[in-house]
Amino acid sequence: MEQQTGTFAVKKGLAQMLKGGVIMDVVTPEHAKIAEDAGACAVMALERVPADIRAQGGVARMSDPELILKIMDAVSIPVMAKCRIGHFVEAQILEAIGVDYIDESEVLTPADEEHHINKHLFKVPFVCGCRNLGEALRRIGEGAAMIRTKGEAGTGDVVEAVRHARAVLGEIRRLTTMADEELMHYAKEIGAPYELVKETKELGRLPVVNFAAGGVATPADAALMMQLGMDGVFVGSGIFKSGDPAKRAAAIVKAVTHYNDPAILAEVSKNLGEPMVGRNVSTMPEIEKIAGRGW
Amino acid sequence: MKIGVLAIQGDFAEHIAMLQRLGVETAEVRLPRHLEGLDGLIIPGGESTTIGKLAVDFGLLEPLREFGQTRAIWGTCAGAIFLSKDARRNQPLLGLMDITVQRNAFGRQVDSFEADLDIPELGEGGPYHAVFIRAPILETVFGEARPLVALPDGRIVAARQGKLLATSFHPELTADTRFHRYFLTLAG
């Protein structure tokens, strides 16, 4: 029997298994255990959550492989890790240590200002951020097997995640009403591969799983993203920068499952303690925003 | 016939799409009351720890165990783990099937694979193309359960026990409807 590994179907397949779930940023094995016990469907292993990367500044790079390996040892759920945009050697290292998914992330300082990683060359699957349909389809064209909104990471302000989700989903809705002869022009206009534009029209959705990310801090934020039509939610700083991470993590997990049930959402939103303090994106200087990274 | 799909977490939408292609009425199951009027239930792929925890939190464990006494349940991957008696780890399980599982038995995601399997039970149609994602194996199949599919090296990847079915792989990720049709014969 021939076994084929690293196919697009298995890369995309793992993301399909994560749907309806919450992927949490963790910086220690202890955090990872808390996340797993709270019902996270995967964790993102990193040295600093985005809020701290913002606060501390400097160049943000791939995390120490030793830390990532310790987190992989601590939990049975999939472990993701971030590499810099275009930094294919960081990605090779993450693949070599066996992470389950790589996030080629704008949260880290970009290593290439024109090119993303050729993700087709890897057996490990990649997730990438986007702000609109063209960006999502460019990343899929490069081999990404999962997409997420960029939002504005580390702010606890959901407004950018909503903007990016509405952009992608709204553009797909418009695409489904276009005549076939309009697709080439549209592909050119949004800078996306024609075949993927065509496929997206036929499917009425992105060809890969599409999560929300960047600013989700409460159960209501998570349910909002799900009701808008996202497949699941990443929560970065929102959990471990809050007053009671275990409780908030469990509440956000429940909110994603029962996103359409306001009575349950009300119940899980009670007594969660202090949310992360947050930064208001609308009053943030342009230079501090990271969603513009990526090409 | 009406088949529910446990919609706590995982690829439940893929199962629902498959069932709808076969003309079956479907329902998403998130709470015990959603089990009413169903002829069978599919527990999808996903993370078994997440599904188990939320099943406990929303009072689904006992209603699911009771459902499985008389009606058909099929677990794919995480669902198969959830149906088992033991997963070598402290996590909530239904314990409905006489199987024990080893989670992530093939390794991590880079070891996830596709392979063609011979499954005589499915009848005509040639080899069955199976997708394994961080898949478990059914380490032991005992009591009332019997193995249905094994890899060439002997590791068991599907088993049946009366109306209960467990597969390590994901028929819902393919376009081949034979496994879903097979399950419908158990439910019907």
Side-chain angles (χ1 to χ4, degrees):
Chain A
M1 178 191 64
E2 189 147 345
Q3 296 190 357
Q4 301 164 282
T5 57
T7 61
F8 197 67
V10 300
K11 290 175 170 180
K12 176 180 154 180
L14 178 56
Q16 288 172 280
M17 298 311 134
L18 301 174
K19 290 201 306 183
V22 183
I23 301 167
M24 302 182 191
D25 279 5
V26 297
V27 300
T28 65
E30 294 71 35
H31 279 185
K33 275 306 290 174
I34 291 171
E36 182 176 49
D37 291 344
C41 66
V43 292
M44 177 76 69
L46 64 178
E47 278 169 348
R48 297 183 286 173
V49 295
D52 288 334
I53 292 173
R54 278 186 184 285
Q56 293 160 11
V59 176
R61 308 178 179 91
M62 174 188 81
S63 298
D64 184 340
E66 179 67 18
L67 170 77
I68 298 167
L69 284 164
K70 281 182 179 157
I71 289 169
M72 286 163 58
D73 271 349
V75 293
S76 66
I77 55 178
V79 175
M80 302 184 167
K82 290 184 194 289
C83 73
R84 285 178 265 177
I85 289 173
H87 205 316
F88 50 86
V89 174
E90 284 187 350
Q92 290 164 7
I93 291 169
L94 294 174
E95 180 173 63
I97 65 171
V99 302
D100 296 300
Y101 239 95
I102 295 176
D103 183 1
E104 185 185 18
S105 178
E106 70 284 358
V107 169
L108 305 183
T109 310
D112 190 320
E113 296 197 329
E114 280 178 50
H115 310 102
H116 283 250
I117 294 169
N118 179 359
K119 296 166 272 286
H120 293 291
L121 299 176
F122 291 78
K123 279 197 167 185
V124 62
F126 283 75
V127 55
C128 288
C130 75
R131 289 163 297 172
N132 51 52
L133 182 59
E135 197 172 13
L137 296 182
R138 286 195 292 280
R139 297 296 85 80
I140 297 168
E142 294 156 358
M146 179 179 183
I147 289 293
R148 57 172 174 75
T149 61
K150 286 182 172 172
E152 193 58 42
T155 61
D157 187 346
V158 79
V159 66
E160 294 300 307
V162 169
R163 189 191 318 281
H164 301 157
R166 282 203 180 274
V168 172
L169 299 169
E171 285 160 22
I172 292 172
R173 281 189 287 269
R174 283 194 291 283
L175 174 59
T176 57
T177 63
M178 283 180 201
D180 284 346
E181 62 269 25
E182 295 170 340
L183 298 186
M184 185 60 81
H185 177 76
Y186 185 64
K188 179 183 166 196
E189 198 176 85
I190 65 172
Y194 170 74
E195 288 301 328
L196 289 173
V197 169
K198 197 160 155 272
E199 188 182 352
T200 303
K201 184 196 165 187
E202 282 157 12
L203 294 170
R205 58 157 293 141
L206 284 183
V208 302
V209 166
N210 183 18
F211 267 47
V216 174
T218 67
D221 288 349
L224 172 67
M225 300 312 300
M226 294 299 290
Q227 286 197 26
L228 283 172
M230 305 308 280
D231 293 322
V233 175
F234 283 88
V235 187
S237 318
I239 289 172
F240 289 99
K241 285 286 162 190
S242 74
D244 189 344
K247 197 168 180 187
R248 182 167 296 266
I252 293 176
V253 168
K254 288 177 187 168
V256 168
T257 295
H258 296 283
Y259 67 93
N260 253 335
D261 190 330
I264 292 178
L265 295 175
E267 196 53 42
V268 304
S269 298
K270 288 178 184 167
N271 301 315
L272 295 181
E274 284 297 308
M276 72 178 282
V277 175
R279 290 275 315 270
N280 195 322
V281 177
S282 64
T283 56
M284 183 182 273
E286 278 308 310
I287 188 88
E288 288 187 34
K289 294 184 185 171
I290 58 182
R293 297 169 174 175
W295 348 108
Chain B
M1 190 183 317
K2 189 172 179 184
I3 302 292
V5 182
L6 194 65
I8 288 178
Q9 190 272 324
D11 69 336
F12 50 87
E14 282 77 352
H15 274 294
I16 289 170
M18 201 72 148
L19 292 168
Q20 287 174 347
R21 272 180 60 195
L22 295 172
V24 177
E25 197 185 344
T26 60
E28 294 183 1
V29 175
R30 291 184 175 81
L31 294 169
R33 62 182 149 89
H34 301 154
L35 289 168
E36 282 165 31
L38 299 180
D39 301 296
L41 179 78
I42 295 177
I43 306 175
E47 276 309 311
S48 62
T49 51
T50 305
I51 293 170
K53 179 187 184 290
L54 288 171
V56 171
D57 290 349
F58 289 94
L60 271 159
L61 276 192
E62 282 312 317
L64 287 173
R65 285 179 183 139
E66 203 184 302
F67 188 93
Q69 298 303 319
T70 54
R71 279 162 288 183
I73 304 184
W74 173 21
T76 57
C77 195
I81 296 169
F82 197 39
L83 283 171
S84 76
K85 289 230 160 37
D86 186 62
R88 287 201 201 166
R89 187 181 179 282
N90 183 24
Q91 65 182 77
L93 301 172
L94 293 176
L96 279 167
M97 284 186 76
D98 293 336
I99 56 174
T100 67
V101 300
Q102 184 191 348
R103 291 181 57 197
N104 304 331
F106 299 92
R108 303 197 69 96
Q109 170 60 16
V110 287
D111 306 302
S112 292
F113 65 97
E114 301 178 53
D116 285 328
L117 306 177
D118 286 317
I119 308 182
E121 202 89 11
L122 296 182
E124 309 268 302
Y128 186 82
H129 191 72
V131 182
F132 294 81
I133 311 275
R134 283 173 48 96
I137 55 163
L138 312 185
E139 206 168 21
T140 58
V141 176
F142 59 98
E144 301 291 307
R146 63 181 179 85
L148 207 59
V149 185
L151 298 176
D153 63 10
R155 290 191 281 182
I156 301 165
V157 291
R160 182 184 156 187
Q161 178 177 340
K163 290 183 167 191
L164 305 174
L165 183 63
T167 59
S168 299
F169 48 91
H170 295 281
E172 75 279 14
L173 294 186
T174 70
D176 191 335
T177 57
R178 281 180 290 168
F179 236 103
H180 284 78
R181 282 186 274 139
Y182 177 72
F183 174 66
L184 294 178
T185 65
L186 303 186

